[in-house]
Amino acid sequence: MTGKTLTRMDLSEAIYREVGLSRNDASQLVESVLDHMSDALVRGEQVKISSFGTFSVRDKAARVGRNPKTGQEVPINPRRVLTFRPSHLMKDRVAAGNKR
C-alpha cells in the first residue's frame, strides 16, 4: 500500500485535465455529484454506480455487546450504517492490481 488517498481535489483536477472543464466548474461538478449521492443515502435509497459498486444504508438493531477486557455486558443502540458492495468488475480489477 502506498498510503495515498484520493481526495475531492484530485477528482476535480482529473476532470479539469481529462474533460476540459475549468477548475471551478470541475470542483462544482464533484460537489454536486457527492451531494446527490449523500442526499439519496440519507433518504434510504441505494446509490448504484455501474462497474463500480453500490452504496446503501443498513439499519442495525439494538444488541448486547461485551467489553472484551472486563466481560461486562454493554447495550449497543440501534443505528444506521453505510455499506459499500463493490461490483464484480471492481473486485477483479483490484485483485489484478490494474491501474486502468
Side-chain angles (χ1 to χ4, degrees):
M1 284 219 165
T2 61
K4 174 81 172 104
T5 301
L6 182 68
T7 64
R8 291 172 190 231
M9 186 172 286
D10 295 333
L11 292 172
S12 297
E13 188 65 24
I15 291 170
Y16 163 73
R17 282 194 318 267
E18 295 178 24
V19 177
L21 292 177
S22 71
R23 280 191 168 95
N24 191 35
D25 288 344
S27 178
Q28 288 176 352
L29 177 64
V30 169
E31 290 302 318
S32 177
V33 169
L34 294 175
D35 284 344
H36 278 70
M37 290 174 62
S38 298
D39 291 345
L41 291 166
V42 166
R43 291 189 302 267
E45 300 172 11
Q46 284 189 344
V47 176
K48 187 177 286 192
I49 302 173
S50 181
S51 301
F52 187 76
T54 304
F55 296 89
S56 59
V57 176
R58 248 182 73 210
D59 290 316
K60 296 188 90 173
R63 63 187 177 92
V64 176
R66 196 173 304 280
N67 181 330
K69 223 175 205 179
T70 65
Q72 178 183 5
E73 289 187 350
V74 179
I76 298 174
N77 296 328
R79 62 202 183 282
R80 296 176 79 194
V81 295
L82 179 64
T83 61
F84 174 72
R85 181 174 165 89
S87 70
H88 290 293
L89 291 173
M90 180 59 71
K91 284 182 184 179
D92 294 343
R93 208 167 141 187
V94 169
N98 290 340
K99 302 267 192 268
R100 228 169 205 255

